[in-house]
Amino acid sequence: MGIVTSKEMFKKAYDGGYAIGAFNVNNMEIVQGITEAAIELHAPLILQVSKGARNYAKHVYLMKLIEAAVQDAEQTAGFDLPIVVHLDHGDSFELCKSCIDGGFSSVMIDKSGLPFEENIKITKQVVEYAHDHGVVVEAELGTLAGVEDEVNVSAEDSSYTRPEDVQEFVERTGCDSLAIAIGTSHGAYKFTAKQCTRDPITGKLVPPPLRFDILEEVSRRLPGFPIVLHGSSSVPQEFVDKINKYGGKRPDAVGIPEEQLREAAKMAVCKINIDSDLRLALTACIREHFWEHPDHFDPRQYLTPGRAAIREMVKHKIVNVLGCDGKA
Ligand code: G3H
Ligand code: 13P
Ligand code: ZN
């Protein structure tokens, strides 16, 4: 199996009422932590690479690391790990083409910030090239708030997906999956305190609920079609607390409640994007490590527990959010 497209994965996920986790990768320890979790739980997997990750690590390094993970799974666990290698938030035809030519099995073209007709035009161009090369395409309608490839989209500039647009968009572009905006947002600061209410007992911030009415209407108009949710980290309080305790500064970070993502995964959502939670797990772990071992300076001393923290986080997501354990 090895590197595959998401076509079959999404069909099974749609019918089975679960979702596939799409985790962002930037280096070897992150690739290893995520794939170890997927191997242990026999979960299908999407590893995604942003433009920033590609600039940081170089395409060829990330590609070879992912190929190594597939080979290692087979050799050490006897497991044929199915992995989709996906470009996250491709912002141009050229970037998508370069990833397709370089062996990715899936790309996202994100022109959701452009007017409808321009979004259709560029998405269609990417779809034609991708399909000619056996690669699938994710597109986006609606705008999420938060930081995307170093650009910050304010809450005021974000907008929910309009269900009345989705059929025409999918038919005219030929895209294979569609990311929609129903209230998730990128980064560890998804909501301001003003957008939230406060739990009267715990005093914790409670974010506004996801717009399940939009998701339902989109899936009614696109039966059987895979929907994608970006910005789906839950920003677990224990990691925020740990970062703050060990010298970091992440006050009042709020994410998407896991139960709501689980509900979405039971519906038409087949791909759930998680990056910030992995960053939190890694950062919290390394901060704690240095606090307890200020004399350490060998990267293996802090990257070993860092990789394990990522593995445990991904295992938690596979079981509690995605429901895709045992599905590979
Ligand atoms: O949606 C964005 C992802 O979290 C990737 O972030 O552009 O910093 O690599 P990045
Ligand atoms: P988070 O920032 O919520 O992890 O979202 C990641 C994402 O959508 C990557 O495309
Ligand atoms: Zn995203």
Side-chain angles (χ1 to χ4, degrees):
M1 222 178 306
I3 294 174
V4 296
T5 75
S6 47
K7 206 111 210 152
E8 272 303 301
M9 256 186 209
F10 285 169
K11 193 177 167 346
K12 286 191 197 159
Y14 196 101
D15 296 342
Y18 61 90
I20 318 292
F23 301 99
N24 288 69
V25 295
N26 291 278
N27 66 12
M28 183 184 77
E29 286 75 11
I30 297 174
V31 170
Q32 289 177 330
I34 299 167
T35 53
E36 282 167 12
I39 292 166
E40 195 175 325
L41 296 177
H42 280 227
L45 187 61
I46 300 173
L47 293 182
Q48 54 187 15
V49 174
S50 70
K51 184 177 169 180
R54 221 166 159 257
N55 290 342
Y56 170 73
K58 279 196 179 177
H59 182 101
V60 66
Y61 282 85
L62 294 170
M63 197 66 213
K64 296 288 176 200
L65 284 171
I66 296 168
E67 285 168 5
V70 170
Q71 204 175 324
D72 184 44
E74 203 184 324
Q75 283 168 0
T76 59
F79 176 53
D80 200 357
L81 176 68
I83 297 188
V84 175
V85 186
H86 175 77
L87 168 66
D88 190 26
H89 293 287
D91 61 357
S92 67
F93 173 79
E94 290 69 29
L95 175 57
C96 292
K97 179 178 181 305
S98 166
C99 289
I100 293 165
D101 295 345
F104 282 24
S105 57
S106 174
V107 293
M108 175 188 196
I109 176 72
D110 180 2
K111 286 290 167 191
S112 56
L114 291 183
F116 189 64
E117 285 300 327
E118 288 170 56
N119 188 356
I120 288 184
K121 189 171 163 218
I122 300 174
T123 301
K124 193 163 182 285
Q125 188 193 8
V126 171
V127 168
E128 279 166 9
Y129 188 80
H131 286 182
D132 277 350
H133 293 77
V135 168
V136 292
V137 178
E138 174 187 325
E140 180 167 328
L141 265 183
T143 316
L144 270 68
V147 179
E148 242 171 59
D149 262 324
E150 291 158 19
V151 179
N152 191 33
V153 181
S154 70
E156 299 80 60
D157 290 333
S158 67
S159 58
Y160 294 115
T161 303
R162 288 162 28 98
E164 54 273 39
D165 290 341
V166 297
Q167 264 164 309
E168 182 184 351
F169 185 83
V170 167
E171 275 165 27
R172 286 178 61 195
T173 60
C175 66
D176 303 278
S177 60
L178 184 67
I180 62 170
I182 60 166
T184 60
S185 98
H186 288 109
Y189 284 93
K190 301 191 184 299
F191 307 101
T192 62
K194 248 166 84 186
Q195 290 173 293
C196 301
T197 51
R198 236 174 236 287
D199 184 305
I201 298 163
T202 62
K204 295 233 165 83
L205 291 174
V206 180
L210 295 181
R211 291 286 305 272
F212 281 97
D213 56 320
I214 297 179
L215 175 58
E216 268 170 27
E217 187 54 25
V218 166
S219 49
R220 197 184 66 74
R221 288 168 185 259
L222 294 174
F225 193 80
I227 300 302
V228 177
L229 287 188
H230 282 247
S232 297
S233 279
S234 297
V235 191
Q237 193 61 41
E238 60 180 292
F239 291 98
V240 175
D241 290 347
K242 211 177 245 190
I243 288 173
N244 293 334
K245 179 174 171 192
Y246 295 116
K249 210 171 175 192
R250 300 254 95 192
D252 280 340
V254 194
I256 312 295
E258 290 189 340
E259 320 79 71
Q260 291 183 35
L261 295 165
R262 185 75 200 96
E263 277 314 301
K266 288 180 188 161
M267 298 164 70
V269 171
C270 295
K271 173 175 181 268
I272 291 188
N273 284 13
I274 298 168
D275 184 20
S276 298
D277 282 353
L278 303 191
R279 295 181 184 200
L280 285 171
L282 185 61
T283 303
C285 178
I286 292 176
R287 280 198 178 280
E288 183 181 28
H289 185 92
F290 275 121
W291 195 270
E292 285 168 359
H293 308 280
D295 56 321
H296 280 183
F297 80 115
D298 176 346
R300 292 170 296 189
Q301 289 171 314
Y302 55 90
L303 288 175
T304 300
R307 178 172 59 193
I310 288 183
R311 182 182 64 232
E312 294 312 306
M313 170 67 83
V314 172
K315 277 166 62 180
H316 172 85
K317 298 289 179 185
I318 286 172
V319 173
N320 297 289
V321 174
L322 305 157
C324 65
D325 44 318
K327 300 294 197 288

